Amino acid sequence: MAAVSTIYSTQALNSTHFLTSSPSSSTSKQVFFYRRHQSQTNRRFNTIITCAAQQTVVIGLAADSGCGKSTFMRRLTSVFGGAAEPPKGGNPDSNTLISDMTTVICLDDYHSLDRTGRKEKGVTALDPRANDFDLMYEQVKALKSGIAVEKPIYNHVTGLLDAPELIQPPKILVIEGLHPMFDERVRELLDFSIYLDISNEVKFAWKIQRDMAERGHSLESIKASIEARKPDFDAFIDPQKQYADAVIEVLPTQLIPDDNEGKVLRVRLIMKEGVKYFSPVYLFDEGSTISWIPCGRKLTCSYPGIKFNYEPDTYFDHEVSVLEMDGQFDRLDELIYVESHLSNLSTKFYGEVTQQMLKHADFPGSNNGTGLFQTIVGLKIRDLYEQLIANRATVPAEAAKA
Ligand SMILES: Nc1ncnc2c1ncn2[C@@H]1O[C@H](COP(=O)(O)OP(=O)(O)OP(=O)(O)O)[C@@H](O)[C@H]1O
Ligand SMILES: O=C(CO)[C@H](O)[C@H](O)COP(=O)(O)O
């Protein structure tokens, strides 16, 4: 069979695409070559390899920089088992993490302008003009349908766009970064989406902790960087939360009057109702409004204690369930007491949430609602994945019967 080639172009990027399909040596698989020439930067991305029967489940995770995406990813990949590592033998500055079941790609890799380019044009990385949404869409779509891609790499060390890396379609693809829900076409590809909504006060406290304590930045430069990003954050990143299936909102505590330390947190897990394969977690009684202070005989709480809240609400005109935890745990092993009062956790055995939390006790947020809710969302995603796969397996069989 002769190779078939189709050529088409995208206006926005002034680029030409070649989609070439040719037979592989294996009869059960078809090989596709997908080549993209971008005249402006001379970058070239080939999309190749097998178009297998498998379909990839795609999860989107959006948040600003330094808001806990990597920590969440480590909790999520741990739920699926196996260590997540950068592609073997590849670029040491790759942003990709691969484990048995999951591949996490960082959307910074779709920056179309490098650090110098952004400076010259006076745009931030949060600005859509600094990102290639056409390529992001094409590549996520390809991976979702089982086609490997050569994805660009944005090098955070040099600020340059490096040579691309080959990404094979995984069972679960997580796209994490600034804009997973910004482009409608990419959004439509997501099977589940999460937004980490960190309030300004908390973001500032975390930035200081990391960039001042660990990276030697000055307080003034951290403040200046947050201020410089704010207008674009408000315009392009924050609005994405309206599309998320789950939002983890992190706020200062209400248990300490006028707290300005930002150490004790009030964390809200906002779960959209009516999302296929996702049933919101609840406390005691589904749909009721519950306020619960679990401190006492079975849960050790030092000042200022712990308070849970659960209630139905609306969020951007969507019906949601909100589970809230204010305060922090003194003893993680006692978390089982809280876990036993929560329902719809999608655990595989009694105490799995507590076990996961204990396993990663050294991760940031393990003693409060950030770690607890990230772990719960990880388990819900595993459940969603299993239901989706089971459903896909039965649909063709039923179609064949008809
Ligand atoms: N739940 C948390 N509680 C306390 N601090 C946290 C929490 N999550 C993250 N942090 C702080 O924020 C820093 C950044 O976290 P992380 O690397 O997970 O974020 P990120 O969104 O992946 O950042 P970047 O996009 O810059 O790589 C951590 O080093 C830690 O100091
Ligand atoms: O928002 C960011 C990551 O989410 C970064 O600011 C963006 O990717 C630009 O990177 P760098 O600061 O290394 O130039």
Side-chain angles (χ1 to χ4, degrees):
M1 186 170 65
V4 184
S5 66
T6 314
I7 303 174
Y8 59 100
S9 65
T10 25
Q11 263 180 338
L13 286 157
N14 187 24
S15 59
T16 309
H17 302 234
F18 300 85
L19 174 64
T20 314
S21 143
S22 69
S24 78
S25 51
S26 152
T27 49
S28 62
K29 290 173 179 172
Q30 212 183 358
V31 179
F32 287 92
F33 291 89
Y34 177 53
R35 176 166 299 154
R36 181 169 190 279
H37 296 276
Q38 195 173 355
S39 53
Q40 279 167 327
T41 58
N42 221 12
R43 291 157 78 202
R44 184 178 277 202
F45 311 108
N46 298 328
T47 297
I48 323 169
I49 318 281
T50 52
C51 181
Q54 171 201 320
Q55 266 225 338
T56 294
V57 171
V58 187
I59 310 295
L61 173 68
D64 197 4
S65 159
C67 286
K69 296 184 298 291
S70 314
T71 311
F72 186 11
M73 280 306 108
R74 289 197 287 162
R75 288 191 198 276
L76 176 70
T77 48
S78 160
V79 163
F80 287 98
E85 286 167 359
K88 284 202 175 61
N91 185 331
D93 294 328
S94 167
N95 301 307
T96 303
L97 284 174
I98 300 176
S99 68
D100 292 350
M101 298 280 288
T102 62
T103 292
V104 181
I105 61 173
C106 174
L107 297 179
D108 294 348
D109 288 336
Y110 293 99
H111 289 337
S112 51
L113 296 174
D114 62 13
R115 204 174 282 157
T116 313
R118 290 195 299 270
K119 213 168 178 183
E120 280 169 4
K121 292 213 159 58
V123 293
T124 71
L126 301 93
D127 191 312
R129 287 172 296 174
N131 294 279
D132 187 342
F133 287 102
D134 288 341
L135 185 65
M136 188 191 296
Y137 165 64
E138 286 157 9
Q139 296 208 330
V140 174
K141 187 171 165 224
L143 286 167
K144 185 161 177 146
S145 28
I147 302 171
V149 303
E150 284 198 335
K151 181 189 61 53
I153 298 176
Y154 175 71
N155 188 321
H156 278 280
V157 181
T158 62
L160 297 171
L161 301 161
D162 284 353
E165 63 186 354
L166 181 67
I167 305 291
Q168 297 283 0
K171 291 195 167 73
I172 299 156
L173 173 71
V174 185
I175 57 169
E176 62 95 354
L178 297 170
H179 303 100
M181 285 97 91
F182 181 83
D183 184 287
E184 193 182 349
R185 298 164 303 168
V186 180
R187 206 158 66 223
E188 289 299 312
L189 295 170
L190 300 176
D191 293 294
F192 194 77
S193 54
I194 307 122
Y195 185 91
L196 302 182
D197 189 6
I198 315 299
S199 66
N200 287 335
E201 299 93 321
V202 176
K203 201 188 277 189
F204 188 56
W206 287 2
K207 275 262 179 207
I208 289 178
Q209 183 189 319
R210 182 179 72 171
D211 295 353
M212 209 165 141
E214 297 168 23
R215 299 184 179 177
H217 297 186
S218 69
L219 189 63
E220 288 67 36
S221 73
I222 297 169
K223 272 188 191 159
S225 133
I226 292 181
E227 283 309 310
R229 290 171 73 95
K230 194 152 181 346
D232 282 352
F233 174 79
D234 290 343
F236 308 120
I237 313 304
D238 193 60
Q240 292 174 86
K241 64 190 182 195
Q242 68 188 289
Y243 304 116
D245 297 315
V247 175
I248 299 180
E249 205 174 81
V250 186
L251 304 149
T253 182
Q254 287 183 335
L255 299 174
I256 306 172
D258 302 321
D259 174 66
N260 51 17
E261 256 197 278
K263 284 206 172 120
V264 182
L265 302 174
R266 177 164 76 102
V267 188
R268 287 159 50 86
L269 173 58
I270 302 165
M271 299 161 281
K272 219 179 240 178
E273 296 286 347
V275 176
K276 203 166 182 195
Y277 307 125
F278 174 72
S279 47
V281 174
Y282 65 89
L283 179 64
F284 294 115
D285 183 36
E286 194 169 14
S288 295
T289 297
I290 312 268
S291 184
W292 183 43
I293 297 176
C295 307
R297 290 190 192 166
K298 295 186 181 143
L299 198 75
T300 313
C301 299
S302 55
Y303 179 80
I306 298 179
K307 188 174 174 191
F308 278 86
N309 208 73
Y310 163 74
E311 62 187 353
D313 203 349
T314 48
Y315 186 77
F316 291 99
D317 293 334
H318 291 290
E319 270 186 48
V320 293
S321 283
V322 183
L323 179 65
E324 175 179 318
M325 176 185 162
D326 197 348
Q328 53 194 32
F329 300 112
D330 279 15
R331 293 190 43 177
L332 260 193
D333 54 338
E334 291 176 352
L335 176 62
I336 188 75
Y337 177 63
V338 171
E339 180 177 351
S340 63
H341 289 80
L342 293 167
S343 301
N344 269 353
L345 285 170
S346 300
T347 47
K348 287 199 190 282
F349 54 87
Y350 178 72
E352 192 177 11
V353 173
T354 306
Q355 190 201 61
Q356 279 295 328
M357 290 282 283
L358 283 167
K359 196 165 147 194
H360 301 301
D362 57 330
F363 285 8
S366 287
N367 65 344
N368 63 37
T370 59
L372 176 63
F373 294 159
Q374 288 177 5
T375 302
I376 290 175
V377 173
L379 293 166
K380 299 302 294 180
I381 290 174
R382 180 183 67 187
D383 186 43
L384 177 123
Y385 166 76
E386 288 174 357
Q387 290 188 61
L388 257 165
I389 293 306
N391 190 266
R392 280 179 193 164
T394 55
V395 169
E398 276 164 20
K401 270 191 244 156

